[in-house]
Amino acid sequence: MTARHVYFDESIRPDGWYRLTAVEVAARDVAAVSRQLRQIVPRGQYRVHFSSESDARRRTALRALVDLPISATTFLAPYDRRSDDQIARNICLEALGSGLTRDARVVVVDSRGAHRDRLDRLVFREALRAVGRDDVAYSHRGSRDELLLALPDALGWAIGARRPWRQMVSEVVAEVRLR
């Protein structure tokens, strides 16, 4: 059994689906994946943020990401963009928490502020408790503090962006539609 780290972030599109992408990295690969990811980040930046990158940079980054030793799942829940996304997020968090592999030991979430992070912790902790998991370290971090949060940002963006982006990552990202 190899311990795994899981990084997750949201990707919101106007198509009526809330997306939460979780990327798993074996603990033994975290340093190597971080080094490879650092090479993708433009000089002077602390990360690649896909919603603000050029198509050329997106293509280059996605080609590099699909070769990394990672696996990803995007959880999709229906939601109305005119309302709060917390209900859809909770559905995704519950699915993620109850579906974590047995070797997942560390979970890192992109922070959305103290209040929303607290709501996430409550939902995620309950999902873990429901499946008898008390061996998972869970934390919120900012994308400036955790480089590997760029993984779910990039892959979630690509899945939500449709062709040709979705096709570029389809071999490493599974989709799970909820409710």
Side-chain angles (χ1 to χ4, degrees):
M1 182 162 89
T2 300
R4 301 186 70 75
H5 293 205
V6 181
Y7 303 87
F8 68 87
D9 191 14
E10 66 194 11
S11 179
I12 300 174
R13 299 275 175 164
D15 64 357
W17 291 97
Y18 180 92
R19 291 170 178 81
L20 188 70
T21 299
V23 177
E24 285 195 20
V25 181
R28 68 174 177 260
D29 294 332
V30 168
V33 169
S34 293
R35 278 191 303 277
Q36 292 171 329
L37 195 54
R38 175 61 51 207
Q39 294 175 358
I40 297 169
V41 177
R43 191 177 294 275
Q45 288 183 233
Y46 62 94
R47 72 175 183 150
V48 175
H49 191 259
F50 265 67
S51 64
S52 60
E53 295 296 336
S54 70
D55 283 352
R57 175 151 302 286
R58 289 174 180 150
R59 264 190 295 283
T60 299
L62 289 174
R63 283 186 190 121
L65 294 182
V66 298
D67 290 334
L68 295 175
I70 61 174
S71 62
T73 303
T74 296
F75 297 91
L76 297 96
Y79 91 112
D80 181 348
R81 280 194 61 125
R82 296 169 295 183
S83 65
D84 183 19
D85 64 7
Q86 193 64 48
I87 293 170
R89 184 174 178 90
N90 289 352
I91 292 167
C92 292
L93 285 170
E94 289 167 1
L96 173 63
S98 64
L100 280 179
T101 59
R102 291 303 303 170
D103 48 355
R105 295 288 181 264
V106 174
V107 174
V108 180
V109 187
D110 194 12
S111 178
R112 301 187 316 149
H115 173 69
R116 296 188 86 169
D117 291 354
R118 186 181 65 75
L119 294 174
D120 284 355
R121 276 191 298 279
L122 292 172
V123 172
F124 196 69
R125 192 176 306 130
E126 184 54 38
L128 291 174
R129 188 176 298 126
V131 293
R133 296 291 305 266
D134 61 0
D135 58 344
V136 178
Y138 173 87
S139 66
H140 283 87
R141 295 192 193 141
S143 55
R144 286 182 179 255
D145 303 321
E146 179 53 68
L147 178 63
L148 294 183
L149 284 170
L151 296 170
D153 176 74
L155 297 173
W157 180 90
I159 286 296
R162 309 284 185 229
R163 285 185 156 159
W165 310 108
R166 171 189 291 270
Q167 289 175 315
M168 291 182 75
V169 301
S170 63
E171 290 183 26
V172 296
V173 182
E175 286 186 86
V176 177
R177 288 185 185 256
L178 306 165
R179 296 188 191 172

